[in-house]
Short mmCIF file of all heavy atoms in Angstrom, two decimals:
data_model
loop_
_atom_site.label_atom_id
_atom_site.label_comp_id
_atom_site.label_asym_id
_atom_site.label_seq_id
_atom_site.Cartn_x
_atom_site.Cartn_y
_atom_site.Cartn_z
N ALA A 828 -3.56 13.46 8.72
CA ALA A 828 -2.39 12.58 8.76
C ALA A 828 -2.60 11.46 9.77
O ALA A 828 -2.24 10.31 9.51
CB ALA A 828 -1.13 13.38 9.10
N SER A 829 -3.21 11.77 10.90
CA SER A 829 -3.50 10.75 11.92
C SER A 829 -4.46 9.70 11.39
O SER A 829 -4.24 8.50 11.59
CB SER A 829 -4.08 11.40 13.18
OG SER A 829 -3.15 12.28 13.75
N MET A 830 -5.50 10.14 10.71
CA MET A 830 -6.47 9.18 10.16
C MET A 830 -5.82 8.29 9.10
O MET A 830 -6.07 7.09 9.05
CB MET A 830 -7.68 9.91 9.59
CG MET A 830 -8.57 10.49 10.66
SD MET A 830 -10.12 11.20 10.03
CE MET A 830 -9.52 12.66 9.20
N GLU A 831 -4.97 8.89 8.26
CA GLU A 831 -4.29 8.11 7.23
C GLU A 831 -3.29 7.13 7.85
O GLU A 831 -3.21 5.97 7.44
CB GLU A 831 -3.58 9.04 6.24
CG GLU A 831 -2.87 8.32 5.11
CD GLU A 831 -3.78 7.51 4.20
OE1 GLU A 831 -5.01 7.74 4.18
OE2 GLU A 831 -3.25 6.64 3.49
N LEU A 832 -2.55 7.57 8.87
CA LEU A 832 -1.62 6.68 9.55
C LEU A 832 -2.38 5.52 10.19
O LEU A 832 -1.97 4.36 10.08
CB LEU A 832 -0.81 7.44 10.60
CG LEU A 832 0.18 6.61 11.41
CD1 LEU A 832 1.27 6.04 10.51
CD2 LEU A 832 0.79 7.45 12.52
N ASP A 833 -3.49 5.80 10.84
CA ASP A 833 -4.32 4.77 11.45
C ASP A 833 -4.76 3.75 10.40
O ASP A 833 -4.66 2.54 10.60
CB ASP A 833 -5.52 5.41 12.14
CG ASP A 833 -6.41 4.40 12.84
OD1 ASP A 833 -5.89 3.61 13.65
OD2 ASP A 833 -7.62 4.41 12.57
N ARG A 834 -5.21 4.24 9.27
CA ARG A 834 -5.67 3.36 8.18
C ARG A 834 -4.53 2.47 7.69
O ARG A 834 -4.69 1.26 7.52
CB ARG A 834 -6.23 4.20 7.02
CG ARG A 834 -6.87 3.37 5.93
CD ARG A 834 -7.30 4.24 4.75
NE ARG A 834 -6.17 4.81 4.04
CZ ARG A 834 -5.36 4.14 3.22
NH1 ARG A 834 -5.54 2.85 3.01
NH2 ARG A 834 -4.36 4.73 2.61
N GLN A 835 -3.34 3.07 7.54
CA GLN A 835 -2.21 2.31 7.03
C GLN A 835 -1.70 1.28 8.03
O GLN A 835 -1.33 0.17 7.65
CB GLN A 835 -1.08 3.26 6.62
CG GLN A 835 -1.42 4.04 5.37
CD GLN A 835 -0.32 4.96 4.93
OE1 GLN A 835 0.77 4.95 5.48
NE2 GLN A 835 -0.59 5.79 3.93
N VAL A 836 -1.71 1.63 9.30
CA VAL A 836 -1.29 0.67 10.33
C VAL A 836 -2.24 -0.51 10.33
O VAL A 836 -1.82 -1.67 10.36
CB VAL A 836 -1.22 1.34 11.72
CG1 VAL A 836 -1.15 0.30 12.84
CG2 VAL A 836 -0.04 2.29 11.80
N ARG A 837 -3.52 -0.25 10.28
CA ARG A 837 -4.51 -1.33 10.29
C ARG A 837 -4.40 -2.22 9.06
O ARG A 837 -4.72 -3.40 9.09
CB ARG A 837 -5.92 -0.78 10.42
CG ARG A 837 -6.16 -0.18 11.79
CD ARG A 837 -7.53 0.50 11.88
NE ARG A 837 -7.66 1.18 13.15
CZ ARG A 837 -7.92 0.58 14.30
NH1 ARG A 837 -8.09 -0.71 14.35
NH2 ARG A 837 -8.03 1.29 15.41
N ALA A 838 -3.89 -1.64 7.95
CA ALA A 838 -3.68 -2.41 6.72
C ALA A 838 -2.34 -3.15 6.73
O ALA A 838 -2.05 -3.91 5.81
CB ALA A 838 -3.76 -1.49 5.51
N GLY A 839 -1.53 -2.89 7.76
CA GLY A 839 -0.26 -3.59 7.88
C GLY A 839 0.87 -2.99 7.06
O GLY A 839 1.87 -3.65 6.78
N ASP A 840 0.75 -1.71 6.68
CA ASP A 840 1.78 -1.04 5.88
C ASP A 840 3.09 -0.96 6.68
O ASP A 840 3.13 -0.45 7.79
CB ASP A 840 1.31 0.36 5.50
CG ASP A 840 2.32 1.10 4.66
OD1 ASP A 840 2.41 0.77 3.46
OD2 ASP A 840 3.01 1.98 5.20
N LYS A 841 4.18 -1.49 6.10
CA LYS A 841 5.46 -1.56 6.80
C LYS A 841 6.00 -0.17 7.16
O LYS A 841 6.49 0.04 8.27
CB LYS A 841 6.48 -2.31 5.96
CG LYS A 841 7.81 -2.47 6.68
CD LYS A 841 8.84 -3.12 5.80
CE LYS A 841 10.20 -3.26 6.43
NZ LYS A 841 10.59 -2.37 7.46
N SER A 842 5.92 0.77 6.27
CA SER A 842 6.42 2.11 6.53
C SER A 842 5.66 2.77 7.69
O SER A 842 6.25 3.39 8.57
CB SER A 842 6.32 2.97 5.27
OG SER A 842 6.72 4.28 5.53
N ALA A 843 4.35 2.61 7.69
CA ALA A 843 3.53 3.17 8.78
C ALA A 843 3.87 2.50 10.10
O ALA A 843 3.98 3.17 11.14
CB ALA A 843 2.04 3.02 8.46
N LEU A 844 4.05 1.20 10.08
CA LEU A 844 4.40 0.48 11.30
C LEU A 844 5.77 0.90 11.82
O LEU A 844 5.98 1.02 13.03
CB LEU A 844 4.36 -1.03 11.04
CG LEU A 844 2.95 -1.59 10.79
CD1 LEU A 844 3.04 -3.02 10.26
CD2 LEU A 844 2.13 -1.53 12.05
N ASP A 845 6.71 1.14 10.91
CA ASP A 845 8.03 1.63 11.32
C ASP A 845 7.92 3.00 11.99
O ASP A 845 8.59 3.27 12.99
CB ASP A 845 8.97 1.71 10.12
CG ASP A 845 9.39 0.34 9.60
OD1 ASP A 845 9.22 -0.67 10.33
OD2 ASP A 845 9.90 0.28 8.46
N THR A 846 7.06 3.85 11.44
CA THR A 846 6.85 5.18 12.04
C THR A 846 6.27 5.05 13.44
O THR A 846 6.71 5.73 14.37
CB THR A 846 5.92 6.03 11.15
OG1 THR A 846 6.54 6.19 9.87
CG2 THR A 846 5.65 7.39 11.76
N VAL A 847 5.30 4.17 13.59
CA VAL A 847 4.70 3.96 14.91
C VAL A 847 5.74 3.44 15.89
O VAL A 847 5.85 3.93 17.03
CB VAL A 847 3.50 2.99 14.82
CG1 VAL A 847 3.03 2.56 16.20
CG2 VAL A 847 2.36 3.65 14.05
N ARG A 848 6.55 2.49 15.46
CA ARG A 848 7.58 1.94 16.35
C ARG A 848 8.60 3.01 16.75
O ARG A 848 9.13 2.97 17.86
CB ARG A 848 8.28 0.77 15.68
CG ARG A 848 7.41 -0.47 15.62
CD ARG A 848 8.16 -1.67 15.06
NE ARG A 848 7.21 -2.71 14.73
CZ ARG A 848 6.84 -3.02 13.49
NH1 ARG A 848 7.35 -2.40 12.45
NH2 ARG A 848 5.95 -3.97 13.29
N ALA A 849 8.86 3.96 15.87
CA ALA A 849 9.84 5.00 16.16
C ALA A 849 9.32 6.06 17.12
O ALA A 849 10.09 6.64 17.88
CB ALA A 849 10.28 5.66 14.85
N PHE A 850 8.00 6.32 17.10
CA PHE A 850 7.47 7.46 17.86
C PHE A 850 6.48 7.11 18.96
O PHE A 850 6.14 7.97 19.76
CB PHE A 850 6.82 8.47 16.90
CG PHE A 850 7.82 9.17 16.04
CD1 PHE A 850 8.04 8.77 14.75
CD2 PHE A 850 8.56 10.23 16.55
CE1 PHE A 850 8.98 9.40 13.95
CE2 PHE A 850 9.49 10.88 15.76
CZ PHE A 850 9.71 10.46 14.45
N HIS A 851 5.98 5.89 19.00
CA HIS A 851 4.99 5.53 20.03
C HIS A 851 5.71 4.89 21.22
O HIS A 851 6.54 4.01 21.04
CB HIS A 851 3.96 4.56 19.46
CG HIS A 851 2.72 4.47 20.28
ND1 HIS A 851 2.69 3.85 21.51
CD2 HIS A 851 1.47 4.92 20.05
CE1 HIS A 851 1.47 3.92 22.00
NE2 HIS A 851 0.70 4.56 21.14
N PRO A 852 5.40 5.32 22.45
CA PRO A 852 6.08 4.76 23.61
C PRO A 852 5.77 3.27 23.84
O PRO A 852 6.58 2.55 24.40
CB PRO A 852 5.58 5.60 24.78
CG PRO A 852 4.30 6.19 24.32
CD PRO A 852 4.42 6.34 22.82
N HIS A 853 4.61 2.81 23.40
CA HIS A 853 4.21 1.41 23.55
C HIS A 853 3.54 0.94 22.26
O HIS A 853 2.32 0.77 22.22
CB HIS A 853 3.25 1.24 24.73
CG HIS A 853 3.77 1.82 26.00
ND1 HIS A 853 4.81 1.25 26.71
CD2 HIS A 853 3.44 2.94 26.68
CE1 HIS A 853 5.08 1.99 27.76
NE2 HIS A 853 4.26 3.02 27.77
N PRO A 854 4.32 0.73 21.20
CA PRO A 854 3.71 0.35 19.92
C PRO A 854 3.05 -1.02 20.01
O PRO A 854 3.43 -1.84 20.86
CB PRO A 854 4.89 0.32 18.95
CG PRO A 854 6.10 0.14 19.80
CD PRO A 854 5.77 0.77 21.12
N PRO A 855 2.06 -1.25 19.16
CA PRO A 855 1.40 -2.56 19.18
C PRO A 855 2.40 -3.65 18.83
O PRO A 855 3.25 -3.47 17.96
CB PRO A 855 0.30 -2.44 18.12
CG PRO A 855 0.69 -1.29 17.28
CD PRO A 855 1.53 -0.39 18.12
N SER A 856 2.33 -4.76 19.54
CA SER A 856 3.31 -5.82 19.32
C SER A 856 2.77 -6.96 18.46
O SER A 856 3.52 -7.73 17.91
CB SER A 856 3.79 -6.37 20.66
OG SER A 856 2.70 -6.84 21.42
N SER A 857 1.47 -7.05 18.35
CA SER A 857 0.91 -8.17 17.59
C SER A 857 0.80 -7.81 16.11
O SER A 857 0.82 -6.66 15.72
CB SER A 857 -0.48 -8.53 18.12
OG SER A 857 -1.40 -7.53 17.78
N GLU A 858 0.71 -8.84 15.31
CA GLU A 858 0.57 -8.65 13.87
C GLU A 858 -0.81 -8.10 13.50
O GLU A 858 -0.98 -7.54 12.43
CB GLU A 858 0.82 -9.96 13.14
CG GLU A 858 2.27 -10.41 13.19
CD GLU A 858 3.23 -9.39 12.58
OE1 GLU A 858 2.94 -8.87 11.49
OE2 GLU A 858 4.27 -9.13 13.20
N THR A 859 -1.78 -8.23 14.37
CA THR A 859 -3.12 -7.77 14.05
C THR A 859 -3.32 -6.30 14.37
O THR A 859 -4.25 -5.68 13.89
CB THR A 859 -4.18 -8.58 14.83
OG1 THR A 859 -3.97 -8.37 16.22
CG2 THR A 859 -4.10 -10.06 14.50
N HIS A 860 -2.46 -5.72 15.21
CA HIS A 860 -2.55 -4.31 15.59
C HIS A 860 -3.90 -4.00 16.23
O HIS A 860 -4.42 -2.90 16.10
CB HIS A 860 -2.30 -3.39 14.39
CG HIS A 860 -1.18 -3.88 13.54
ND1 HIS A 860 0.12 -3.95 14.00
CD2 HIS A 860 -1.15 -4.37 12.28
CE1 HIS A 860 0.89 -4.44 13.03
NE2 HIS A 860 0.15 -4.71 12.00
N ALA A 861 -4.44 -4.99 16.91
CA ALA A 861 -5.78 -4.88 17.48
C ALA A 861 -5.91 -3.75 18.49
O ALA A 861 -6.95 -3.12 18.59
CB ALA A 861 -6.19 -6.19 18.12
#
Side-chain angles (χ1 to χ4, degrees):
S829 297
M830 288 187 289
E831 181 63 18
L832 179 63
D833 182 53
R834 187 185 67 75
Q835 289 181 7
V836 165
R837 291 175 186 282
D840 181 76
K841 183 184 178 334
S842 176
L844 291 168
D845 289 344
T846 299
V847 169
R848 287 185 194 105
F850 291 99
H851 197 289
H853 308 288
S856 57
S857 71
E858 290 301 315
T859 62
H860 318 296

